[in-house]
Amino acid sequence: MITTQKLTGDLADDGWKGASDDCNMENLKNSESCDPSSFLRHFRKSSATPVMLLRHIAQAMATEMQEGLDHPGERKLKMLPTYLECLPTGNERGLFYAIDLGGTNFRVLRVQLDGKEGRILKQESIQVPIPQEVMTGSSKDLFGFLAKTIVQFVSREADLGFECVALNQKRDIGFTFSFPVNQTKVNGGSINAWTKGFSISDGVGEDVVDQLEIALADMGSVNTKVVCLVNDTVGTLAQCRYWNDDAMVGVILGTGSNACYVERAAAISCWSSPPEADDLTVVNIEWGNFCSELLPRTFADEGLDADSLNPGQQEFEKMIGGMYLGEILRRVLLKMAEDTGLFGSEIPERLTKPFSLLTPHMSTMHGDDTSSLEVVGSVIEEAIGVKYTTLATRKVVYDVCDIIAERGARLSAAGIVGILTKINRCGDLMLSCLTTPNDTEVKKTVIAIDGSLYEKYPKFRNYMEDAMKEMLGEDYANNVTTTLSKDGSGVGAALLAAAISTELRLGDVGVTK
């Protein structure tokens, strides 16, 4: 048990009574010279994201993106090609499917599309748990289970009022596959490794689409075909693009984080037979692995990274992802408990347990607008086990939540502006490398975002949007819009299947130049 000075009373002015101000982030273990208020000031300083720093980080992101395109597989940002040659436009008609395999549940979805007038006429989905023995069995077991679920779902379409354009129409499927994969074409890629509790050794190195289509054929399904293999980031962009052809960037801000964007096909050097030079495609950045000396990392980030399963990797994601923000908060509060006696003379045992504080806890406390911070006190009692806290203690905990959320949100904004910088959508007149040289019209850009941080953490979202305005300037910021684009892994994947199907059959649907 660690004994420290017990804290009493409320905050006086901007600090605690008797506070000493010689606390710093290098000798925080000297608890005699460090109190919560001075600790907080130094932590805030080490986490600061002034606008000039954000602009430098955005430029570093843009530079690393170009390096990743120029040197495939050799840079932190992998810049993975999707091989997509079209995105949804709203013209698509017919019945299309999506399947989503990304965890312990498997989802199948169908949508009935009726062009720009009818849009999405109806949709339906099911979600089924994957048995544990299937998750750790053979490839045949897994893909047989998936195929059986798909065939049963497809068989009920007519009974529920879904209609094919023609009786012999193939059921085109968009496949969201959220595991590491080496994608080699728009509807194919080999599995690099299984994660999230799956352990199927004979499937590694095999093409995920081939395995599914073999299983579907074994089930007697000859009218189903996977036409695209995507991740949820690409689906998020497609879902937004269906409604708005100004959508150029897709971002996930949830448990994890990633982004994709529209790029010229000619920039994809590993694409052996790209479309015409002026055609467009989508690049999956995998921006979670972005790293730079410019990132304002603290002792909490360094400790989290060192104790993680992948030290030195996903450094950007570990500063902005919902999986990690609560853990950063726990590490900061634990150090404050040890070095400043934030919670009294004893260290709360629960606070020593990794991931005992989650980002929903943090969001709930950060949203407390009561004068006495009663909600903060309730969460401290529930999650940390400290029943009685002073207003001063609750105020410090609230402020730590604010610092961590603001930093993560503003870094997310820097990442987005980095993408806009790469495609020249934040410069004078917004001239873009994705437009013709003679096109001087000011370009609108929509950023499609999905994920719980953006959707359910209002202060995080507001901090991010404010930072984008700061970085772009008010005039340019008016041309950039962020919007919630839900269910990219489901509806988005189905819309991509529809776009590809329409492109192949009619030749008149593609990415707007």
Side-chain angles (χ1 to χ4, degrees):
M1 182 182 300
I2 300 176
T3 302
T4 60
Q5 176 187 2
K6 189 169 184 177
L7 300 172
T8 59
D10 292 340
L11 285 172
D13 298 325
D14 66 342
W16 296 69
K17 294 180 179 179
S20 171
D21 198 29
D22 54 357
C23 169
N24 62 66
M25 303 310 288
E26 293 183 356
N27 66 354
L28 283 171
K29 291 185 178 180
N30 297 325
S31 58
E32 297 81 8
S33 63
C34 184
D35 64 89
S37 183
S38 53
F39 185 112
L40 193 63
R41 283 194 291 272
H42 286 284
F43 181 67
R44 189 186 301 277
K45 183 177 180 181
S46 66
S47 303
T49 52
V51 66
M52 286 306 298
L53 175 63
L54 293 179
R55 285 174 177 157
H56 286 306
I57 291 172
Q59 184 58 59
M61 175 75 78
T63 299
E64 185 68 17
M65 288 171 64
Q66 186 60 53
E67 286 287 310
L69 289 174
D70 294 341
H71 306 279
E74 299 178 13
R75 297 293 188 268
K76 284 282 189 177
L77 295 184
K78 299 305 181 185
M79 305 298 289
L80 302 176
T82 62
Y83 302 99
L84 285 168
E85 297 182 37
C86 59
L87 282 170
T89 66
N91 291 318
E92 296 80 9
R93 296 176 184 273
L95 178 61
F96 301 93
Y97 284 78
I99 57 177
D100 180 11
L101 180 64
T104 56
N105 292 306
F106 176 58
R107 189 160 69 115
V108 189
L109 174 144
R110 59 176 151 240
V111 296
Q112 186 88 48
L113 305 177
D114 190 33
K116 288 194 173 180
E117 291 186 4
R119 294 287 181 169
I120 299 177
L121 291 180
K122 62 170 62 178
Q123 67 183 68
E124 183 196 21
S125 66
I126 61 166
Q127 181 169 288
V128 296
I130 302 175
Q132 182 62 36
E133 62 270 20
V134 172
M135 294 173 61
T136 57
S138 65
S139 287
K140 186 174 183 179
D141 294 334
L142 174 63
F143 289 101
F145 174 82
L146 303 184
K148 181 179 180 181
T149 304
I150 294 168
V151 170
Q152 290 176 343
F153 185 72
V154 170
S155 69
R156 299 182 64 243
E157 64 184 27
D159 297 336
L160 296 171
F162 290 86
E163 298 179 359
C164 293
V165 172
L167 291 178
N168 62 350
Q169 178 188 345
K170 287 186 178 297
R171 275 63 167 181
D172 289 337
I173 301 173
F175 190 174
T176 300
F177 186 73
S178 300
F179 297 90
V181 61
N182 179 30
Q183 192 160 353
T184 55
K185 55 184 178 179
V186 69
N187 64 337
S190 58
I191 302 169
N192 289 334
W194 289 102
T195 58
K196 306 176 186 179
F198 286 74
S199 179
I200 305 173
S201 59
D202 67 332
V204 175
E206 299 297 323
D207 189 289
V208 60
V209 174
D210 286 349
Q211 292 182 86
L212 178 61
E213 292 192 332
I214 289 172
L216 285 167
D218 288 344
M219 291 287 299
S221 177
V222 295
N223 281 330
T224 53
K225 179 176 177 58
V226 176
V227 297
C228 61
L229 182 66
V230 300
N231 68 14
D232 54 356
T233 309
V234 178
T236 295
L237 173 59
Q239 158 81 338
C240 186
R241 186 79 175 213
Y242 179 73
W243 300 99
N244 191 327
D245 60 13
D246 289 329
M248 303 297 291
V249 179
V251 179
I252 299 295
L253 290 172
T255 302
S257 186
N258 190 20
C260 68
Y261 73 106
V262 177
E263 176 63 275
R264 286 201 178 279
I268 313 301
S269 60
C270 60
W271 197 338
S272 57
S273 300
E276 298 297 326
D278 62 344
D279 282 346
L280 306 177
T281 186
V282 178
V283 172
N284 169 19
I285 301 173
E286 291 294 332
W287 82 355
N289 208 36
F290 172 69
C291 68
S292 169
E293 293 181 354
L294 295 167
L295 295 175
R297 302 181 79 216
T298 69
F299 71 91
D301 303 296
E302 293 169 357
L304 185 155
D305 182 48
D307 294 340
S308 69
L309 297 175
N310 55 348
Q313 300 179 39
Q314 300 298 109
E315 291 185 13
F316 191 59
E317 182 178 68
K318 288 172 183 173
M319 298 178 76
I320 68 175
M323 179 176 179
Y324 304 103
L325 297 183
E327 174 63 5
I328 294 171
L329 172 64
R330 182 196 70 83
R331 288 172 178 267
V332 174
L333 295 182
L334 176 60
K335 190 161 187 63
M336 294 186 79
E338 293 171 341
D339 295 356
T340 75
L342 177 63
F343 298 109
S345 59
E346 298 183 2
I347 308 301
E349 182 180 356
R350 292 187 202 171
L351 205 54
T352 66
K353 308 294 184 183
F355 293 95
S356 56
L357 268 179
L358 303 175
T359 301
H361 292 133
M362 176 175 152
S363 174
T364 299
M365 291 190 289
H366 199 190
D368 188 354
D369 58 2
T370 63
S371 59
S372 59
L373 296 178
E374 297 171 2
V375 176
V376 174
S378 296
V379 174
I380 291 174
E381 179 178 357
E382 172 193 345
I384 301 177
V386 178
K387 189 171 184 179
Y388 300 108
T389 53
T390 65
L391 177 59
T393 298
R394 298 193 293 274
K395 178 65 166 64
V396 167
V397 173
Y398 178 93
D399 286 346
V400 175
C401 293
D402 186 66
I403 292 169
I404 295 169
E406 182 178 24
R407 185 192 67 166
R410 289 173 69 84
L411 290 177
S412 302
I416 292 172
V417 174
I419 299 172
L420 298 179
T421 300
K422 167 65 181 69
I423 61 176
N424 200 16
R425 287 257 174 165
C426 56
D428 198 16
L429 285 181
M430 306 291 279
L431 292 177
S432 170
C433 64
L434 303 181
T435 61
T436 63
N438 295 326
D439 188 352
T440 58
E441 181 184 356
V442 174
K443 294 297 175 185
K444 301 290 186 180
T445 303
V446 175
I447 315 296
I449 305 178
D450 194 11
S452 55
L453 284 178
Y454 183 79
E455 181 183 6
K456 299 179 180 179
Y457 197 157
K459 289 189 176 179
F460 186 99
R461 180 176 65 249
N462 292 340
Y463 274 140
M464 186 196 75
E465 292 176 346
D466 288 346
M468 289 179 61
K469 291 177 183 177
E470 286 182 49
M471 298 174 69
L472 295 171
E474 187 172 342
D475 290 341
Y476 299 148
N478 289 336
N479 296 313
V480 177
T481 304
T482 61
T483 187
L484 180 66
S485 178
K486 288 183 65 62
D487 197 17
S489 60
V491 174
L495 294 174
L496 280 169
I500 292 169
S501 174
T502 306
E503 171 83 359
L504 291 175
R505 291 171 188 168
L506 302 180
D508 62 356
V509 177
V511 178
T512 302
K513 302 297 190 292

